[in-house]
Amino acid sequence: MPHHLMNMRHVPDDEAEEIRALFEAHDVRYYETPPSRWGISMGGFWVHDPEEAQRAKTLLQEYQNQRLHSQREAYEQWRSQGEGGGVWYMLRKKPVRTLAALLTILTIGALSLLPFIRIG
């Protein structure tokens, strides 16, 4: 019976490539199913053998811990350089785009609530 190792939905290409390289470096006999375009099937990495599945899950857990730390460090470095930071950052960097988005959000919210306001 196949064992599902990892969901491929919303996985960046670089991460998927690193996982493939990890499995090939450790001789894990896996196969891959791609996610569908419309989000119906999740796709993923699979193995048939239960022992192979346990070994692959251990490798994946170690890899994901390493990736978590490296991505968190990259994010903290990005933030320390003054990048990112939410609405205020976007308002300073791209004021027209940010104000247009906020105006659109308020307009959609007002139009959505208008029927309820008229009832009362």
Side-chain angles (χ1 to χ4, degrees), residues 18-70:
E18 289 173 358
I19 292 170
R20 287 183 200 104
L22 175 73
F23 284 161
E24 290 170 10
H26 289 88
D27 296 323
V28 175
R29 294 181 321 268
Y30 73 96
Y31 64 98
E32 181 179 348
T33 56
S36 71
R37 292 184 184 192
W38 300 283
I40 296 171
S41 66
M42 64 182 166
F45 291 109
W46 302 77
V47 295
H48 281 290
D49 187 28
E51 290 82 23
E52 191 84 0
Q54 188 59 38
R55 189 168 68 93
K57 286 180 182 181
T58 304
L59 287 170
L60 263 177
Q61 185 64 38
E62 291 171 5
Y63 166 77
Q64 288 177 338
N65 286 334
Q66 291 173 349
R67 181 154 174 107
L68 172 71
H69 294 303
S70 67

Side-chain angles (χ1 to χ4, degrees), residues 73-92:
E73 287 174 8
Y75 175 73
E76 291 300 328
Q77 182 181 10
W78 182 65
R79 289 287 305 246
S80 68
Q81 294 172 350
E83 302 290 326
V87 176
W88 297 118
Y89 172 78
M90 289 302 294
L91 194 56
R92 281 191 317 245

